[in-house]
């Protein structure tokens, strides 16, 4: 199983945690942190980030931990050092002049992530609304594009970043001159790599209060991998068993393949839509074939691990054997899964 890069992301001023909920679907992210000054809001919205049933049935490839902290975005907390991305969505306009002055040194100077994304209202768009006052009673200011870009370019220059400007919310026809409803600055650290924290930065500074944390099931966790692996293996074993039964019935009618060709004949209704590439077909065909001894059906582990879903989960035969040993019946030498060829619930044409 190929592992993606671990990307930690923090959302400052996370509010209702909607952005964090969107970001958690990305498999490369293993750590999500939200920070907000409103502790009550964090408590009431933490449940939005809990894993749901489907994420246990179909877990992530990589671990994911989500943590919400109560605290001010202009305070330094060493637990946010080393992040690849920090987002500040509709945040800076809520800061008073003193906090706004401290904000760049904390985010760009102290935390110094590889990328910072900042969005803020575009005051030039406001006349298109029914009223021209500030969009929120808590806003301390709303900048024009020139004001925001002047501030952003100054910050980028001071802390060795470059910045590109974009936005969301296109104006109606005839008002294109006002620009986007919300303006966005995307700051990228020059050099593209995270700077190593200084000695003073490395000292633990835990000023934020943890409010909520949750971890997601993933295939990196042995009990989760075992659950998924055993389930997928049993599905594949039953497909092969039913195909073998079909091959035997066809052979009895003298119109089907030979007993050894258990995977050569197509059976779409038993494969449930499985489609293999030529390389996958070749890998399957070159592996040891299933066989029958009396009423016992044997499927070599080497064969099972050639099927894409099982191969992706774990390609190491010894590890698979250790994971499934207490959940399925193995042959005496541990090389094959053993099941009854016929079950009482099997469909048999002769019964009709």
């Amino acid at each position: 199983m190929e592992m993606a890069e671990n990307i930690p992301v923090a959302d400052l001023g996370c509010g209702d945690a909607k952005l964090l909920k969107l970001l958690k679907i990305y498999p490369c992210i293993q750590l999500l942190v939200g920070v907000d000054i409103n502790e009550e809001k964090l408590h009431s919205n933490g449940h939005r980030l809990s894993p749901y049933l489907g994420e246990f049935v179909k877990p992530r490839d990589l671990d994911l931990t989500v943590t919400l902290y109560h605290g001010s975005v202009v305070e330094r907390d060493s637990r946010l050092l080393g992040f690849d991305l920090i987002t500040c969505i509709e945040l800076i306009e809520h800061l008073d002049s003193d906090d706004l002055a401290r904000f760049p040194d904390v985010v760009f100077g102290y935390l110094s992530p590889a990328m910072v994304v900042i969005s803020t209202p575009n005051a030039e768009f406001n006349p298109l609304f029914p009223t021209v006052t500030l969009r929120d009673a808590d806003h301390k200011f709303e900048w024009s594009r020139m004001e925001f870009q002047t501030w952003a370019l100054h910050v980028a220059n001071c802390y060795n970043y470059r910045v590109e400007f974009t936005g969301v919310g296109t104006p109606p026809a005839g008002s294109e001159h006002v620009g986007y409803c919300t303006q966005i600055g995307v700051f990228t650290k020059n050099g593209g790599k995270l700077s190593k924290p200084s000695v003073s930065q490395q000292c633990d500074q835990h000023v934020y209060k943890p409010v909520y944390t949750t971890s997601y099931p993933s295939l990196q966790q042995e009990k989760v991998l075992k659950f998924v692996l055993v389930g997928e293996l049993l599905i594949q074993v039953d497909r092969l068993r039913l195909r073998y039964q079909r091959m035997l019935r066809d052979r009895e009618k003298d119109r089907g393949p030979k007993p050894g060709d258990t995977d050569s004949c197509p059976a779409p209704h038993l494969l449930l839509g499985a489609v293999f590439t030529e390389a996958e077909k070749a890998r399957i065909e070159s592996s040891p074939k299933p066989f029958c001894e009396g009423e016992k059906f044997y499927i070599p582990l080497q064969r099972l691990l050639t099927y894409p879903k099982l191969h992706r989960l774990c390609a190491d035969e010894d590890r698979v054997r250790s994971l499934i040993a207490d959940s399925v019946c193995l042959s005496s030498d541990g090389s094959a899964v053993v099941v009854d060829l016929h079950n009482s619930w099997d469909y048999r044409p002769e019964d009709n």
Side-chain angles (χ1 to χ4, degrees):
M1 182 173 59
E2 184 177 354
M3 295 296 179
E5 183 183 359
N6 173 20
I7 299 178
V9 178
D11 183 29
L12 306 185
C14 62
D16 56 14
K18 287 183 179 179
L19 178 59
L20 296 176
K21 187 177 180 181
L22 291 173
L23 290 173
K24 73 183 182 69
I25 69 172
Y26 291 93
C28 59
I29 297 176
Q30 287 191 259
L31 176 61
L32 276 174
V33 168
V35 179
D36 202 275
I37 197 67
N38 189 328
E39 185 174 2
E40 182 180 348
K41 186 176 288 187
L42 293 176
H43 281 291
S44 62
N45 288 292
H47 69 278
R48 295 176 181 267
L49 301 168
S50 299
Y52 54 86
L53 179 60
E55 289 167 316
F56 287 90
V57 176
K58 190 176 181 180
R60 297 165 50 93
D61 285 350
L62 302 175
D63 290 337
L64 171 64
T65 299
V66 183
T67 301
L68 300 181
Y69 291 114
H70 170 236
S72 169
V73 298
V74 296
E75 292 179 307
R76 300 184 178 200
D77 192 300
S78 58
R79 287 169 292 188
L80 269 66
L81 289 172
F83 276 58
D84 289 285
L85 171 64
I86 289 180
T87 58
C88 308
I89 307 304
E90 307 298 281
L91 167 67
I92 60 172
E93 64 273 11
H94 292 273
L95 303 179
D96 61 29
S97 58
D98 288 340
D99 284 345
L100 183 63
R102 294 167 59 194
F103 174 83
D105 191 52
V106 172
V107 175
F108 295 90
Y110 175 69
L111 298 179
S112 191
M115 180 177 289
V116 180
V117 177
I118 296 177
S119 77
T120 191
N122 171 19
E124 296 171 72
F125 197 97
N126 287 355
L128 300 181
F129 293 119
T131 60
V132 294
T133 57
L134 297 180
R135 299 184 195 179
D136 188 283
D138 187 57
H139 287 186
K140 306 302 187 292
F141 61 87
E142 288 176 2
W143 279 334
S144 67
R145 285 173 292 174
M146 180 62 71
E147 289 171 320
F148 176 56
Q149 292 178 19
T150 299
W151 176 86
L153 288 167
H154 174 72
V155 168
N157 184 61
C158 287
Y159 296 96
N160 195 31
Y161 281 77
R162 60 186 180 276
V163 58
E164 297 180 1
F165 298 100
T166 182
V168 292
T170 54
S175 299
E176 292 84 358
H177 63 283
V178 303
Y180 291 108
C181 179
T182 293
Q183 50 189 332
I184 298 173
V186 180
F187 299 78
T188 306
K189 193 169 186 62
N190 289 325
K193 296 182 180 179
L194 293 174
S195 58
K196 186 177 180 180
S198 65
V199 174
S200 61
Q201 288 176 322
Q202 292 174 13
C203 298
D204 287 342
Q205 299 181 56
H206 294 179
V207 298
Y208 293 157
K209 174 186 175 182
V211 171
Y212 174 86
T213 188
T214 187
S215 295
Y216 280 68
S218 83
L219 297 178
Q220 287 186 300
Q221 301 158 18
E222 184 167 295
K223 64 179 181 180
V224 176
L225 174 61
K226 176 180 177 178
F227 173 79
V228 176
L229 180 64
V230 170
E232 190 59 44
L233 182 142
L234 292 176
I235 290 172
Q236 189 60 58
V237 164
D238 213 47
R239 287 173 177 170
L240 292 171
R241 184 182 67 83
L242 292 172
R243 292 183 71 189
Y244 197 89
Q245 287 183 12
R246 182 187 180 190
M247 180 275 298
L248 290 178
R249 290 196 300 269
D250 289 346
R251 180 168 173 257
E252 288 172 1
K253 297 175 183 178
D254 197 28
R255 62 180 180 82
K258 297 180 181 180
D261 297 334
T262 57
D263 286 306
S264 59
C265 60
H269 63 294
L270 297 180
L271 285 174
L272 301 180
V275 177
F276 302 124
T277 66
E278 291 303 317
E280 289 167 347
K281 290 178 184 176
R283 187 170 67 226
I284 293 170
E285 290 302 324
S286 64
S287 65
K289 297 184 184 300
F291 60 92
C292 202
E293 290 184 0
E295 278 296 303
K296 294 296 183 181
F297 185 50
Y298 292 73
I299 311 97
L301 287 179
Q302 289 183 30
R303 182 73 161 203
L304 288 167
L305 292 182
T306 61
Y307 288 92
K309 287 186 178 180
L310 289 168
H311 185 79
R312 174 185 172 276
L313 288 171
C314 186
D316 185 289
E317 184 180 343
D318 289 336
R319 177 153 169 73
V320 169
R321 187 180 295 109
S322 68
L323 287 169
I324 68 173
D326 62 351
S327 302
V328 302
C329 180
L330 294 173
S331 59
S332 58
D333 63 358
S335 65
V337 175
V338 185
V339 295
D340 292 330
L341 180 60
H342 296 97
N343 288 324
S344 59
W345 56 81
D346 287 343
Y347 168 76
R348 302 185 185 189
E350 60 269 22
D351 294 337
N352 294 328

